[in-house]
Amino acid sequence: MWMKILLVALSLVVLSSSIHVTSSSHSSSNVSDNAQASALFVFGDSLVDNGNNNFLSSIAKSNYYPYGIDSPRGVATGKFSNGDTFVDYLGAWLGLPAPPPFADPTTTGARILGGVNYASAAAGILDETGQHYGQRYSLSQQVMNFETTVRQLRPMIPNLSRYLSKSIAVLVFGSNDYINNYLLPTLYPSRFFYNSTQFATLLLNHYERQLLALYAVGLRKFVLPGVGPLGCIPNQLATASPPPLPGRCVDSVNQMLGDFNRGLVSLVDTMNNGSLPGSMFVYGNTYSALGDILNNPARYGFAVVDRGCCGIGRQITCLPWTPPCANRNEYVFWDAFHPTQGVDAFLAQRAYAGPPSDCHPINVQQLALINFA
């Protein structure tokens, strides 16, 4: 079974080349007649940012070599990856090209018909998260940006409500609220005001309000990946005090994420209890899926799990114009924070077609098949 998954993921790496090329010239003709959704709207942080921060006054950018080294053209587009990201692969499964970044001035007219990407590096659920990096689109700002898109779509699409109900929204949030807020007590006071359970509740309350706002505007299908095992990313391994034992993650960090992920499952169940007619919310178990790769790297074709392929391995993002490792297909992490495109291919496959342990209560493929009248 694992060999079958590996072959599927590798095939997606090849498929990503068409995603990357079409993303720079997106138009209505790029949306296949066989697409399983009318559009893909992406909200989130650097895990799915495809260039929005290139247009913002921020130090959280990836618009330089070696980012994008494994993309078809070998150039950096603003994705924090050696190639494509989770939503690129997920979009490919759905038959949709990668949506263009909202902040790009050319993201107008026919380019927005297949969806838009609002994700922004350093962004969080809380407005203040990541502010030490400069400008970024927080969750609340991304929701407002989506409302701008809806106003642009209204004169272009006769039955806008139907179009939105058949679209899929992916929201990837939470990681920065920990690593660029709660776990930085010298910069943010949240650690002094909230214990980990209270902080998770704070995040989920904010998250719920913005999800309700998106529902009110017309979105009906939501994919909400949980936070992965941040205690295992190279940055946390390098900065933890005391450092973890060799081969171990920072258990204290991973334990505090449990409150958020369990709460997100409960929030999904609450949203699906019938109070929001004609909608479906899906929880993606990123923690378990990525944890499986970290615990069994050889099963997935990886060998290096404790440092990034570029940068200073366990500290920062890629150093500009500095060559990365030569055997990057063997690395789980591209830099100190982000996975390689090979990992993202696996995660997208599990989100799209995985069992209930990967996606709750249904997977993305099943979500796409739902027809809200």
Side-chain angles (χ1 to χ4, degrees):
M1 177 179 179
W2 295 114
M3 183 58 67
K4 181 179 179 181
I5 294 177
L6 176 60
L7 291 173
V8 170
L10 290 176
S11 69
L12 278 177
V13 173
V14 176
L15 180 59
S16 71
S17 63
S18 62
I19 296 174
H20 180 90
V21 172
T22 57
S23 67
S24 64
S25 58
H26 185 90
S27 70
S28 58
S29 62
N30 293 132
V31 180
S32 167
D33 291 338
N34 296 321
Q36 300 164 41
S38 57
L40 181 65
F41 294 102
V42 178
F43 307 80
D45 52 32
S46 59
L47 293 170
V48 288
D49 184 354
N50 71 337
N52 279 301
N53 275 35
N54 290 353
F55 302 91
L56 302 180
S57 179
S58 169
I59 60 174
K61 296 178 187 285
S62 58
N63 57 346
Y64 56 87
Y65 173 89
Y67 287 103
I69 188 173
D70 292 315
S71 61
R73 290 177 294 165
V75 297
T77 60
K79 299 175 184 178
F80 288 76
S81 171
N82 55 311
D84 284 315
T85 70
F86 168 78
V87 289
D88 293 327
Y89 291 115
L90 187 62
W93 281 108
L94 292 166
L96 293 168
F102 173 84
D104 187 336
T106 67
T107 301
T108 58
R111 292 196 75 207
I112 69 176
L113 291 176
V116 176
N117 186 313
Y118 308 92
S120 177
I125 295 171
L126 302 179
D127 287 344
E128 65 268 23
T129 289
Q131 62 186 359
H132 59 290
Y133 285 103
Q135 284 185 320
R136 69 253 171 260
Y137 293 146
S138 66
L139 170 57
S140 61
Q141 182 61 56
Q142 290 182 39
V143 172
M144 288 188 283
N145 292 346
F146 172 71
E147 293 170 349
T148 297
T149 298
V150 171
R151 289 193 292 271
Q152 294 172 336
L153 287 168
R154 188 164 285 117
M156 301 167 60
I157 300 177
N159 192 344
L160 183 59
S161 60
R162 175 70 172 167
Y163 163 90
L164 292 175
S165 72
K166 294 177 64 178
S167 300
I168 291 181
V170 179
L171 293 92
V172 180
F173 284 100
S175 296
N176 281 317
D177 292 291
Y178 286 95
I179 61 177
N180 284 311
N181 187 326
Y182 196 68
L183 294 174
L184 292 179
T186 58
L187 296 178
Y188 298 88
S190 54
R191 193 86 178 255
F192 301 108
F193 294 114
Y194 307 100
N195 61 36
S196 60
T197 300
Q198 293 168 334
F199 187 68
T201 300
L202 174 71
L203 295 179
L204 292 164
N205 287 340
H206 280 262
Y207 210 172
E208 180 179 13
R209 284 197 291 272
Q210 299 305 324
L211 290 170
L212 291 174
L214 291 174
Y215 175 86
V217 179
L219 289 176
R220 293 295 180 264
K221 297 181 180 182
F222 299 85
V223 180
L224 310 175
V227 176
L230 296 178
C232 303
I233 67 174
N235 169 264
Q236 290 300 302
L237 296 178
T239 58
S241 181
L245 296 173
R248 294 296 302 271
C249 298
V250 185
D251 292 336
S252 60
V253 172
N254 284 343
Q255 288 168 3
M256 71 174 60
L257 303 177
D259 289 324
F260 177 82
N261 285 335
R262 286 190 297 270
L264 187 54
V265 174
S266 297
L267 177 58
V268 163
D269 289 338
T270 298
M271 295 292 208
N272 289 333
N273 68 4
S275 59
L276 300 175
S279 67
M280 175 59 71
F281 294 77
V282 171
Y283 169 77
N285 194 352
T286 309
Y287 189 97
S288 176
L290 184 54
D292 191 28
I293 294 174
L294 292 169
N295 289 329
N296 306 284
R299 184 183 292 173
Y300 293 88
F302 300 110
V304 184
V305 301
D306 61 349
R307 62 186 183 275
C309 174
C310 71
I312 309 179
R314 301 180 72 174
Q315 288 281 0
I316 58 175
T317 52
C318 298
L319 296 174
W321 312 111
T322 302
C325 64
N327 57 332
R328 48 191 174 272
N329 289 337
E330 298 180 5
Y331 277 67
V332 169
F333 292 102
W334 168 239
D335 60 20
F337 300 92
H338 308 95
T340 55
Q341 69 169 0
V343 170
D344 274 334
F346 281 120
L347 297 179
Q349 190 274 338
R350 294 180 70 154
Y352 179 77
S357 57
D358 285 338
C359 285
H360 169 81
I362 59 176
N363 60 39
V364 176
Q365 183 179 28
Q366 294 165 328
L367 176 68
L369 291 173
I370 296 176
N371 186 16
F372 294 121

